[in-house]
Amino acid sequence: MIPILPEGAAKPDAQASPADAAHAGAAQAAQAWLKQGSLQLRSLPPLSLYVHFPWCVRKCPYCDFNSHEAKNGIPEAEYLAALRRDLELALPLIWGRPIHSVFIGGGTPSLLSAAGMERLMSDLRSLLPLAPDVEITMEANPGTFEAEKFAAFRQLGVNRLSIGVQSFDSAKLHALGRIHDGEQARAALEIASRHFDNFNLDLMFALPGQSLAELQEDLAQALSWRPPHLSYYHLTLEPNTLFAKFPPDLPDDDLSADMQELIFAQTAAAGLAHYEVSAYARPDCQARHNRNYWEFGDYLGIGPGAHSKLSFAHRIVRQMRYKQPQTWITQCQAGAPLQQEHEVGRDELGFEFMLNALRLEDGFALNLFAERTGLPLSVIDAALQDAQRRGLLEVDHRWIKPSPLGKRFLNDLQQLFLHDA
């Protein structure tokens, strides 16, 4: 068993003790193993599929996703043919592995026609072994909701929606550059709740000029729909966005912290468990697709700019497709949609695993690290002990999870594992 310092143990003095020397020796041995040992994955993790739809009606000023305004319409038939070709080219890498979840994201995938969605779902079913209880999620934005089309999506097999509401306040939506207003947001939820038992609401807080009372009103409206799942993100200014170039007036850190505390309290009172940094769910309604990311599962991404992480017995690879839609379509037709592919180094795997798994409120079982990375937990022993000394981790013989302090300073906690690589 890996030696872990008791929680709250004092930081060692500058003079090394015998225990410190043993710890340093273990760290050196772990690094030597990383250089010489062989990756050993005894079983492959669950596999998900991500399908990217790159077009939207209008690019939001805060958005850094690979999305493009559909100024001249959407080349739907050409895009769907390229998607099928992209998937066919990837099949040898995942042959025979069941797909446990599908996520159709964007952009705004709800711009697809019902006939286009039927073609996509037919292609997925003919080429892939979808699990009997597969979760199939589609992102949808208010302003693109048509009752008949969404009823057709449900009949075609989409069994979960992720609805980009962001706010119910029309003034705030205008400030965010959204194409819908509060009334359209409520109309979209009425349609979604009529046709889908399982749906997620995407909301943001710390919006331009937002007060605590306005946040409370947004949250109350969201909870009144009794959503099975709620994603609540802090608005951040991402590089290469309009907001980064022309920053709006955002709430300060103290007000943002008060907003987050209010979200924690109100979602808990409504029966939504806080299970990941920005995710809240009713029992049995956690997002299986996203949870697979956080537990370092595998995913195949198809479509422009889509990323993949695929495991094999002795290696783990990452891929990225060409980003610009027309370039990706051309490359698919030529049989070469990948722009980048590389094997993840053994010295990177510990950080990559912890970067994802530490986002989970309840952490992860000890054996999951070896199962998903093919490495012994000893390779991150130094960082584990450092994190526990600082009071950022709680560790027992079965489980590792961020402490309350670790949740508050998650970035600092994750960085410790980067330094240990």
Side-chain angles (χ1 to χ4, degrees), residues 84 86-96 126-129 300:
R84 181 183 177 99
D86 195 353
L87 181 55
E88 287 173 338
L89 291 167
L91 287 180
L93 299 176
I94 60 166
W95 199 256
S126 66
L127 294 173
L128 295 169
L300 171 67

Side-chain angles (χ1 to χ4, degrees), residues 68-81:
H68 307 264
E69 292 187 11
K71 295 179 180 178
N72 301 311
I74 296 165
E76 185 173 277
E78 189 179 29
Y79 161 74
L80 290 169

Side-chain angles (χ1 to χ4, degrees), residues 84-406:
R84 181 183 177 99
R85 180 61 176 150
D86 195 353
L87 181 55
E88 287 173 338
L89 291 167
L91 287 180
L93 299 176
I94 60 166
W95 199 256
R97 295 178 64 181
I99 302 295
H100 295 276
S101 66
V102 177
F103 195 100
I104 307 167
T108 306
S110 47
L111 291 173
L112 269 173
S113 68
M117 181 60 72
E118 181 175 16
R119 177 177 174 181
L120 173 60
M121 294 304 299
S122 175
D123 285 345
L124 297 185
R125 288 195 175 95
S126 66
L127 294 173
L128 295 169
L130 301 182
D133 62 344
V134 63
E135 174 192 271
I136 302 178
T137 303
M138 183 182 72
E139 287 185 334
N141 289 331
T144 66
F145 268 71
E146 301 167 23
E148 289 185 5
K149 186 165 75 168
F150 276 81
F153 289 166
R154 182 67 186 90
Q155 291 175 347
L156 290 168
V158 176
N159 53 29
R160 184 175 182 271
L161 286 186
S162 184
I163 309 165
V165 170
Q166 313 311 350
S167 176
F168 292 92
D169 184 324
S170 294
K172 295 292 183 287
L173 289 166
H174 179 74
L176 291 172
R178 304 294 290 178
I179 65 169
H180 67 277
D181 58 21
E183 189 57 39
Q184 288 173 307
R186 288 181 282 272
L189 283 171
E190 194 281 324
I191 294 171
S193 60
R194 192 190 322 157
H195 297 290
F196 291 84
D197 297 326
N198 194 5
F199 60 90
N200 166 62
L201 295 191
D202 258 349
L203 292 168
M204 293 194 297
F205 70 98
L207 305 180
Q210 189 175 40
S211 68
L212 190 62
E214 288 172 328
L215 180 278
Q216 188 164 16
E217 174 60 25
D218 249 3
L219 182 55
Q221 289 204 48
L223 295 175
S224 72
W225 291 93
R226 295 187 57 79
H229 192 282
L230 185 65
S231 298
Y232 228 128
Y233 300 103
H234 189 296
L235 175 61
T236 55
L237 304 184
E238 301 291 348
N240 303 315
T241 64
L242 192 61
F243 271 6
K245 189 175 181 180
F246 304 104
D249 183 22
L250 300 179
D252 61 25
D253 290 345
D254 288 340
L255 178 53
S256 296
D258 290 342
M259 290 178 172
Q260 196 158 32
E261 290 300 323
L262 181 64
I263 293 168
F264 291 160
Q266 294 296 314
T267 51
L272 294 169
H274 184 202
Y275 73 98
E276 188 268 345
V277 171
S278 302
Y280 308 79
R282 298 194 182 280
D284 302 321
C285 291
Q286 293 185 10
R288 277 190 266 162
H289 187 87
N290 290 348
R291 180 132 199 155
N292 193 42
Y293 290 150
W294 299 323
E295 293 179 339
F296 211 53
D298 277 1
Y299 48 92
L300 171 67
I302 60 173
H307 290 252
S308 302
K309 177 236 165 195
L310 299 171
S311 299
F312 303 89
H314 302 295
R315 63 192 177 102
I316 296 174
V317 300
R318 288 197 177 277
Q319 302 173 333
M320 188 184 79
R321 266 73 178 155
Y322 282 92
K323 198 170 182 181
Q324 206 283 330
Q326 191 55 54
T327 301
W328 166 78
I329 289 172
T330 301
Q331 291 297 128
C332 284
Q333 292 168 345
L338 294 185
Q339 184 175 18
Q340 296 177 16
E341 181 176 31
H342 73 276
E343 182 175 343
V344 183
R346 285 170 293 180
D347 57 347
E348 302 173 281
L349 284 170
F351 172 67
E352 289 208 9
F353 177 92
M354 299 301 279
L355 183 68
N356 288 281
L358 289 175
R359 293 181 61 89
L360 293 166
E361 289 290 301
D362 292 333
F364 60 94
L366 290 181
N367 61 356
L368 189 68
F369 182 87
E371 285 180 12
R372 298 294 160 87
T373 67
L375 303 173
L377 193 58
S378 58
V379 300
I380 58 168
D381 187 31
L384 286 174
Q385 295 202 40
D386 192 10
Q388 199 174 12
R389 272 194 298 267
R390 298 176 189 220
L392 300 174
L393 271 188
E394 297 176 0
V395 181
D396 63 25
H397 65 285
R398 297 181 302 110
W399 212 259
I400 295 176
K401 70 176 182 178
S403 68
L405 184 65

